[in-house]
Each structure stands twice: as C-alpha cells, then as structure tokens.
C-alpha cells in the first residue's frame, strides 16, 4: 500500500488500487481445517496470536492465518469513521477471499471482528470467537489442559457480550484451567472498559476507574480480559496501581 504524503486519508482510501494488496493474495490456499482471522487489535497484543498458534498446533489443527501479514481488516473501523463505500468494498473482497478458500469455519480473536463477520457479512460458513473454538477443542479431547490454582476474573467485552451474547464460552474455558471468581458487575451488567475506537469523551483516569473499582472489590491474582483495546491500553496502568494483582 502507498501511504499519502499530504496527510489526507480520504484521498488515500479513494485510490482505485487501494485494495490491490487483497487482489494480489493467492487464489488458492493449502488445505486447512479452519481460517484464523486475528484482527487488527489482536496484532497489537501479539501474545494472543502466539497462544492461538500454540493451541492450533497442540490440537493438531491445520489453519490458514488469513491476516498474518496484517494487510486485512474486517472493515468496521472504516465504517465507524464514515468511509462506508470503502468498508463495503473491503468486505466484498474479504468475502470473496474467504469463500473461494472452501474452508467452512472462520475463527477470530477480536470481538469487534467477530461481531462484524456475524452481523455485517453474508458468509454461509461457521463463525466462532476463539473462546468458543477452544471450548470445543477441550470438550472433544483434542486439546489437553491442566487445572491451575490461579484465580481469575473475567471482563465481558461490550462487542462480545452484549453485542453477540457470548458469555459462557470464555467462562467455561477459564473454569477448566483456573478458578473463575465472579465480579460485582458481569455479563449483561458488565461495565464498559472505558476504551473504544471512537472514545474521546473521557480522560484516562475516568476511563480506568470503572474497571479498577470492580477489581478493587475482588482483589484477585489475575484479571483475564478478552477485549484487546482494554488489555493493551490499560495493562501498564493497572500494573502500577495494582502491583502483583495484574
């Protein structure tokens, strides 16, 4: 992709060859059981990608890491910024790339991507958040896990929880490997972490206050977070304020 030097992203997005990098991808892929779409935010938290690769390999699952080179986005950020035409074009090209592979299961780590693929795309294939797929692997016996003595608390991301009604799969996985402790506000009543792609209304201290108040009540060893914007932007802040807990 050619980045504009005049600082005009709209002109950049309106270039006719903007999506050429998708057209240049091979039309056929090696045989795979599933497609793995990490998502932009997951690429900012690389430990999730490392973990998913280890899980696929441990379960002997052949996977196609479709956005490994970081060139594909689900299109939601473009849509949120008002670039509807470009977002729709991107979704069309992603759809073609996914369907022509012939693979029938798409797995994504990013809750934003998961909601986008399930509600904004017309894909006649199975679409799973990685927590749902990990739960399936554990139940089928393909993924062997050990129970830890760690206690964990889980925060429901807005997009995955209220957005897609995915509440139990992450908890089932965590309960299999740790002791999951309920929080004061969870599932449908979970508070927003305070971060999102378009948030400019709250200062950092106020954004973090919502989640820190909840963490203060449970005083546990680890806070397990599924939303990558929460994790990446808040982890260092949490470490300073709650040393030894996060």
């Amino acid at each position: 992709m050619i980045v504009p030097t005049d600082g005009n992203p709209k002109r950049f997005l309106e270039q006719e060859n903007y999506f050429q990098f998708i057209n240049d991808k091979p039309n056929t892929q090696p045989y795979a059981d599933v497609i793995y779409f990490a998502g932009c935010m997951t690429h900012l938290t690389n430990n999730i990608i490392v973990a998913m690769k280890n899980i696929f390999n441990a379960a002997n699952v052949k996977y196609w890491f479709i956005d490994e080179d970081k060139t594909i986005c689900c299109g939601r950020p473009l849509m949120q910024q008002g670039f509807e035409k470009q977002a729709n074009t991107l979704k069309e090209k992603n759809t073609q790339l996914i369907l022509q592979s012939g693979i029938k299961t798409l797995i994504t780590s990013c809750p934003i991507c998961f909601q986008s693929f399930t509600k904004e795309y017309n894909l006649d294939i199975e679409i799973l958040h990685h927590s749902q797929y990990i739960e399936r692997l554990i139940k089928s016996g393909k993924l062997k896990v050990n129970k830890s003595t760690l206690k964990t608390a889980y925060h429901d991301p807005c997009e995955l929880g209220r957005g897609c009604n995915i509440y139990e799969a992450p908890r089932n996985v965590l309960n299999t490997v740790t002791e999951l402790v309920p929080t004061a506000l969870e599932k449908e009543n979970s508070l927003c972490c305070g971060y999102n792609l378009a948030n400019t209304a709250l200062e950092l201290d106020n954004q973090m206050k919502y989640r820190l108040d909840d963490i203060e009540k449970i005083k546990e060893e680890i806070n397990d977070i599924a939303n990558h914007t929460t994790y990446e932007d808040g982890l260092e802040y949490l470490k300073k304020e709650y040393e030894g807990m996060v």
Side-chain angles (χ1 to χ4, degrees):
M1 293 185 290
I2 302 174
V3 178
T5 58
D6 62 2
N8 184 347
K10 189 173 187 297
R11 181 186 65 79
F12 177 43
L13 290 168
E14 289 178 347
Q15 294 179 108
E16 291 185 2
N17 64 342
Y18 176 70
F19 296 108
Q20 185 60 41
F21 61 91
I22 298 180
N23 295 335
D24 291 342
K25 280 183 172 289
N27 291 328
T28 58
Q29 300 296 330
Y31 173 78
D33 302 309
V34 299
I35 299 173
Y36 177 56
F37 192 104
C40 300
M41 300 311 301
T42 308
H43 278 290
L44 297 178
T45 47
N46 190 62
N47 58 316
I48 296 173
I49 292 175
V50 172
M52 287 305 300
K53 286 182 175 181
N54 289 338
I55 288 169
F56 286 132
N57 292 332
N60 196 28
V61 174
K62 296 181 176 64
Y63 65 98
W64 174 27
F65 193 167
I66 190 173
D67 63 329
E68 187 167 17
D69 56 5
K70 307 178 185 180
T71 58
I72 303 177
C73 173
C74 68
R76 175 70 75 82
L78 284 173
M79 186 69 75
Q80 287 182 323
Q81 295 175 74
F83 296 108
E84 184 175 355
K85 175 184 175 182
Q86 290 81 1
N88 288 334
T89 301
L90 179 57
K91 286 189 289 187
E92 290 172 5
K93 292 184 178 294
N94 285 343
T95 297
Q96 180 182 2
L97 192 62
I98 291 168
L99 294 183
Q100 72 185 9
S101 73
I103 302 171
K104 299 301 183 181
T105 300
L106 172 67
I107 301 162
T108 181
S109 289
C110 176
I112 296 172
C113 294
F114 178 75
Q115 179 156 217
S116 180
F117 280 123
T118 55
K119 295 184 178 182
E120 299 167 1
Y121 279 70
N122 184 24
L123 294 170
D124 188 23
I125 62 172
E126 182 180 40
I127 302 170
L128 299 172
H129 182 254
H130 71 217
S131 62
Q132 296 174 297
Y133 189 66
I134 293 170
E135 180 186 29
R136 177 184 295 179
L137 291 175
I138 293 173
K139 286 183 175 180
S140 68
K142 292 182 178 180
L143 182 64
K144 308 295 183 181
V145 298
N146 297 316
K147 184 81 171 184
S148 168
T149 58
L150 287 175
K151 295 181 179 180
T152 60
Y154 176 72
H155 168 245
D156 293 279
C158 298
E159 301 266 356
L160 191 64
R162 284 185 291 270
C164 295
N165 200 37
I166 303 297
Y167 295 112
E168 299 308 322
R171 287 174 168 80
N172 292 340
V173 171
L174 286 173
N175 266 323
T176 302
V177 296
T178 67
E179 179 185 342
L180 183 63
V181 179
T183 61
L185 297 170
E186 59 179 11
K187 296 186 178 179
E188 294 89 348
N189 297 319
S190 178
L191 294 175
C192 177
C193 68
Y195 288 94
N196 64 55
L197 295 177
N199 182 41
T200 57
L202 296 177
E203 296 295 332
L204 175 62
D205 288 344
N206 286 329
Q207 293 174 12
M208 294 307 303
K209 181 178 183 299
Y210 296 113
R211 294 318 308 163
L212 292 175
D213 284 349
D214 209 8
I215 293 174
E216 179 68 30
K217 295 174 183 176
I218 56 175
K219 297 282 188 180
E220 294 301 340
E221 299 168 12
I222 290 179
N223 184 37
D224 189 274
I225 304 174
N227 192 18
H228 317 317
T229 49
T230 309
Y231 183 93
E232 185 70 14
D233 295 331
L235 184 58
E236 291 304 318
Y237 187 92
L238 291 170
K239 281 182 177 178
K240 291 179 183 177
E241 294 296 319
Y242 292 84
E243 185 175 357
M245 289 174 52
V246 179

